[in-house]
Amino acid sequence: MDERETQRAGYPLTIPDALLGSQAMQRACATRDFREIFRLVNRRTGSSHAAMAAAIGKMTSSRVSDIIRGVRGVRGQQVIERISDGFGIPGEMLGLPKRPWESFPNDIDGAVNTGTTVEAVTGSHTKARTQHVRETLGSLDLLTVAELRQQVQTLDARYVTEPSTALIAEIGQHLGQLAYWHTHTTAHAVRRDLYAAQAEASTLMGQLVWDASGRTDHDTPRAYFAQAAESARELRDPVAEGLALLRTSFVALYGEKNPRAGLEIAERSADTVENTSHVLAGLAVLHAAEAYAMLQQRRDCEKSLRNAEWHFGQVSANDAGVSMFSPGQFGRLTGSCFLFLNETTRAQTVLECTAKELREGSKSHAIALGNLTLAYIRQRKVDEAAGTLGKAIDVVERNRGGGGLNLIFQAGRELQPWRAVPVVHELNDRLLNLIAST
């Protein structure tokens, strides 16, 4: 671990040295061009708007989106300091004094060696405010709801790399709080934000429950997604509704193994976000393509892949769903389509490139590695399959993602003809240990 990473132990985000030292980043910092700084962090690290907002603190993902689009700027010394601390940009690069973390690990507001982090300070403030609102319901305001939404978005960012079981209790508390507030406020503006928070929290809870169950509990996540869609309709937010529908299609496709039902729901999702978000429309069409591949409808699959590629080519910084767009999504689903169509060589080519683009250690990374392993196995490339499966197991051991778990166990079963090979035997032992720990 390099010195800067050591100094920043406990911080949720640290941009890599390669990006920090790039001419583009140095120029943006020197001129305090925060639109470009945010754009570089988003594009070069694959960090979502929610993850960036959580790292900075006291900021929502929608504000991050506004800054990237140039709709809003960054003003105020405290905000600039939080950006420096949130991303790990040395103070000197932004015309600031040396930041506390540049000298003392975990030093927040002068609390040297206490182990306190920015996240802990922000969380403590929010909990105190929430307690005050609980005791004095007349004080419920937009800021309080925004702070709770920020906590939900932080959990959403953590979902990418952390076990879902570690997050369920907290999101459950947020859902309970939202339900309570709904029954005790009549202010129109506050109720609108409560619906937005409800849609986000219910969608995330559905994801967490399904993932934690190893994608075997279908009814519970469906109920949460339905709740999210209902809140989105109350809000007249097609993106939130389309996302809830898309998540529901995942349950049909990968849980119930019902591609026809999954296809119908994915197409409803695409229709819902038409003319609203090219990102979400592209994702919905991508999953429709995978449904067609499962049904062995090659022509429709390839047509949908071209349609998805077109949507992604139209994505701009002001897309309502831009925070959900990340490198490697198109390749991961395209590789999966080729696998279902038994075009293993094409799948291998796409997935090898995609595995390098995805965030290392993420649940999507594990899925790509699992599918790449299957592509190798089906070409009888045992050594390559064993190497990739070992990497996939490494990732799943950390994040316990249900999609990755299912794929590595499937790969283990398909490797059984070579179980006498020492490396395959070792992988079988690792899979058995994983089953036991799960």
Side-chain angles (χ1 to χ4, degrees):
M1 183 180 292
D2 64 35
E3 182 179 353
R4 189 163 63 96
E5 289 178 332
T6 302
Q7 290 171 324
R8 291 181 56 75
Y11 285 76
L13 176 62
T14 299
I15 62 176
D17 289 337
L19 174 57
L20 191 65
S22 68
Q23 291 185 356
M25 179 60 81
Q26 291 185 9
R27 183 166 54 249
C29 289
T31 58
R32 287 192 171 184
D33 183 351
F34 291 100
R35 178 183 183 183
E36 179 67 5
I37 291 171
F38 278 41
R39 189 189 70 82
L40 289 168
V41 173
N42 175 235
R43 296 290 176 85
R44 300 282 183 88
T45 69
S47 299
S48 67
H49 293 190
M52 292 166 64
I56 296 168
K58 298 182 181 179
M59 184 174 289
T60 63
S61 59
S62 59
R63 184 177 176 187
V64 171
S65 178
D66 287 345
I67 292 170
I68 291 175
R69 290 186 290 135
V71 175
R72 300 177 66 175
V74 172
R75 296 182 180 85
Q77 184 79 355
Q78 291 184 344
V79 180
I80 296 171
E81 289 174 353
R82 292 206 310 274
I83 291 169
S84 172
D85 295 337
F87 294 160
I89 301 174
E92 183 180 7
M93 292 182 66
L94 289 171
L96 300 171
K98 180 178 286 189
R99 307 304 303 145
W101 55 264
E102 293 185 70
S103 300
F104 306 105
N106 298 331
D107 179 12
I108 307 298
D109 294 335
V112 181
N113 292 329
T114 64
T116 307
T117 66
V118 171
E119 187 176 4
V121 171
T122 305
S124 176
H125 168 76
T126 302
K127 288 177 181 177
R129 184 179 183 84
T130 301
Q131 181 63 32
H132 172 69
V133 170
R134 186 180 293 115
E135 296 169 355
T136 315
L137 280 172
S139 64
L140 179 62
D141 56 13
L142 293 173
L143 179 58
T144 305
V145 181
E147 287 177 339
L148 187 144
R149 290 184 69 185
Q150 178 65 67
Q151 293 180 68
V152 172
Q153 291 164 6
T154 299
L155 290 170
D156 191 32
R158 290 172 58 192
Y159 163 79
V160 175
T161 57
E162 295 185 27
S164 295
T165 50
L167 310 176
I168 287 176
E170 191 169 349
I171 197 68
Q173 291 175 352
H174 294 328
L175 281 169
Q177 185 67 68
L178 286 167
Y180 181 67
W181 284 345
H182 260 298
T183 62
H184 290 85
T185 184
T186 58
H188 176 70
V190 175
R191 288 188 69 83
R192 280 188 59 82
D193 276 16
L194 285 174
Y195 279 124
Q198 180 81 53
E200 293 169 351
S202 296
T203 300
L204 179 56
M205 179 60 109
Q207 291 175 240
L208 294 174
V209 170
W210 192 49
D211 189 57
S213 74
R215 299 186 170 186
T216 58
D217 178 356
H218 310 317
D219 293 337
T220 306
R222 277 182 178 278
Y224 280 114
F225 295 144
Q227 186 180 60
E230 182 180 356
S231 295
R233 285 191 290 272
E234 290 283 352
L235 191 62
R236 294 193 175 98
D237 183 346
V239 172
E241 183 182 357
L243 179 59
L245 287 171
L246 182 59
R247 287 288 174 185
T248 306
S249 77
F250 294 177
V251 176
L253 286 170
Y254 314 122
E256 297 168 338
K257 310 295 184 184
N258 187 341
R260 293 195 185 279
L263 173 62
E264 188 271 331
I265 302 169
E267 289 181 335
R268 279 173 51 202
S269 173
D271 291 341
T272 300
V273 300
E274 187 177 10
N275 302 322
T276 305
S277 170
H278 282 295
V279 171
L280 198 53
L283 290 173
V285 173
L286 259 183
H287 288 281
E290 192 170 22
Y292 281 125
M294 292 176 182
L295 294 167
Q296 298 300 301
Q297 296 178 215
R298 183 184 305 273
R299 182 175 298 178
D300 289 325
C301 173
E302 293 184 347
K303 180 180 178 181
S304 294
L305 288 175
R306 289 193 297 270
N307 192 5
E309 190 170 25
W310 178 84
H311 276 294
F312 289 149
Q314 306 304 307
V315 172
S316 64
N318 61 357
D319 190 297
V322 73
S323 63
M324 291 177 275
F325 185 67
S326 64
Q329 286 170 324
F330 182 79
R332 181 171 67 82
L333 271 295
T334 299
S336 179
C337 286
F338 290 154
L339 266 184
F340 280 114
L341 294 171
N342 201 32
E343 297 188 18
T344 53
T345 302
R346 293 178 72 187
Q348 174 191 330
T349 301
V350 171
L351 290 167
E352 283 177 340
C353 294
T354 301
K356 297 174 184 177
E357 295 177 348
L358 292 167
R359 180 177 174 183
E360 188 171 349
S362 67
K363 291 172 183 175
S364 293
H365 187 220
I367 291 172
L369 290 172
N371 276 328
L372 180 56
T373 301
L374 293 173
Y376 285 138
I377 294 171
R378 293 169 190 178
Q379 296 175 79
R380 306 181 70 83
K381 296 180 178 180
V382 179
D383 290 340
E384 292 90 337
T388 307
L389 180 55
K391 294 176 183 178
I393 294 173
D394 289 340
V395 177
V396 172
E397 284 176 338
R398 293 193 297 271
N399 63 41
R400 302 287 167 163
L405 273 169
N406 290 341
L407 284 172
I408 63 173
F409 290 144
Q410 181 180 347
R413 289 192 295 271
E414 294 192 19
L415 272 175
Q416 286 312 294
W418 296 276
R419 59 185 175 274
V421 178
V423 67
V424 175
H425 182 74
E426 292 174 6
L427 289 170
N428 282 335
D429 287 343
R430 291 189 65 186
L431 288 171
L432 288 172
N433 290 333
L434 191 57
I435 291 171
S437 62
T438 302

